Amino acid sequence: MRAYQKPIGHDHFRLCGIFKVISHYDDLENEFPYRFELENISKLIDFPILDEDILSEILPKKIGGNIGWSNFKKHFCSQGITFREPLQSEVSEILLSELGSGRELYEEVVSSFVKNVEKSLKSSSEERKKRLNTAKSKPQKRYVTTAVYDRNPDVVAEVLYRAGKHCEECGNIAPFRRKKDDTYYLEVHHKVPLAKGGDDTVDNAIALCPNCHREAHYG
C-alpha cells in the first residue's frame, strides 16, 4: 500500500511512504476494528512532491474513477478507503524508482552523473553520436533528497569580512560584485568538509573566488 497526502494550502500531493502489510488483527472495541501492522519499505528522508502530470502518463491506465480525474487520481484518490486493494507491483516500482523514494541523495545522483560523463568521454565521438541519435530530447524528472547542515551564519560573515575583496587562495580580487548590495562575491569553503567531520568554525573556513572553489573540490 502507499500513503500520500495533499497538505492544506498546498497544490501538490506528497508521498509519505510505501508500506507492506505484514500482519493483521481485529480490535472489535475500536471504531475501526480491522487493524494492520505495516513495514515501511520506502524509508523516506523527506516527503517528495508527486508530479501528477508525469505520473498520469507513466502509470498503467486505469478505467473508471470520477469523470475528469487524471490517471494519477484514479489510482490514488479514493476518499475514506484505505485498504481498497493491494498496490500493483508495477505501480509500486514506479513510485520507488521514478520518485527515488528518498533512497537517492542529491550528492549521489551528481556523483553518478559525473562518472557517466567521464565514461562517455572515453567513448569515441562516433559512439556518442550513435547514442545521441536515439536519445530522448526531454530528460526524465526524478525527485531526490539532499542532506544539508545548519551552518553558522556568523562563520560565513566573519570569513567574508576577513577576506575583504580578495580570494584567500589566489589573492585576486573577487570576479564581480553582487547587484543587490554591491558586495564582492566570494564563496566560503570548509578546508575539512563538514561531511568528513570538519568543524563549522572560522579557522576551518576560507573565502574563495569561484575558480579556486571549484579547484578545491575538483582539482
Side-chain angles (χ1 to χ4, degrees), residues 68-186:
W69 273 13
S70 67
N71 190 43
F72 168 85
K73 288 179 179 175
K74 288 180 180 180
H75 273 275
F76 299 136
C77 296
S78 187
Q79 187 68 29
I81 301 177
T82 302
F83 293 95
R84 178 179 53 183
E85 60 187 21
L87 191 62
Q88 299 174 26
S89 60
E90 182 180 0
V91 175
S92 179
E93 289 173 2
I94 287 172
L95 291 176
L96 287 169
S97 63
E98 296 297 327
L99 302 181
S101 299
R103 293 182 176 182
E104 288 185 292
L105 291 175
Y106 171 77
E107 293 78 6
E108 295 172 347
V109 173
V110 172
S111 176
S112 176
F113 176 72
V114 170
K115 289 179 181 178
N116 286 333
V117 171
E118 292 172 351
K119 182 179 178 180
S120 177
L121 285 169
K122 293 178 181 179
S123 301
S124 67
S125 178
E126 289 75 15
E127 290 174 326
R128 279 194 297 274
K129 287 177 180 177
K130 286 181 181 179
R131 293 195 295 268
L132 287 169
N133 285 336
T134 59
K136 296 179 179 179
S137 59
K138 300 293 184 183
Q140 178 178 312
K141 183 187 291 186
R142 285 189 288 170
Y143 291 97
V144 296
T145 58
T146 182
V148 296
Y149 293 91
D150 291 328
R151 294 172 57 182
N152 187 340
D154 287 334
V155 170
V156 175
E158 183 62 22
V159 171
L160 291 176
Y161 174 79
R162 180 185 69 195
K165 61 182 180 181
H166 292 92
C167 171
E168 293 186 302
E169 179 63 29
C170 67
N172 291 330
I173 295 177
F176 62 89
R177 296 190 182 194
R178 294 179 177 86
K179 290 182 179 179
K180 62 179 180 180
D181 56 12
D182 202 38
T183 57
Y184 289 94
Y185 182 81
L186 295 170

Side-chain angles (χ1 to χ4, degrees), residues 28-78:
L28 300 180
E29 296 182 358
N30 195 292
E31 180 182 0
F32 304 99
Y34 307 114
R35 319 295 293 177
F36 295 85
E37 184 178 356
L38 306 176
E39 177 187 356
N40 187 343
I41 63 174
S42 53
K43 304 184 186 305
L44 292 173
I45 298 173
D46 194 5
F47 298 159
I49 294 174
L50 299 175
D51 192 312
E52 183 177 339
D53 293 333
I54 289 179
L55 284 172
S56 290
E57 289 295 324
I58 64 178
L59 285 167
K61 296 301 178 184
K62 198 170 186 67
I63 306 302
N66 288 20
I67 298 175
W69 273 13
S70 67
N71 190 43
F72 168 85
K73 288 179 179 175
K74 288 180 180 180
H75 273 275
F76 299 136
C77 296
S78 187

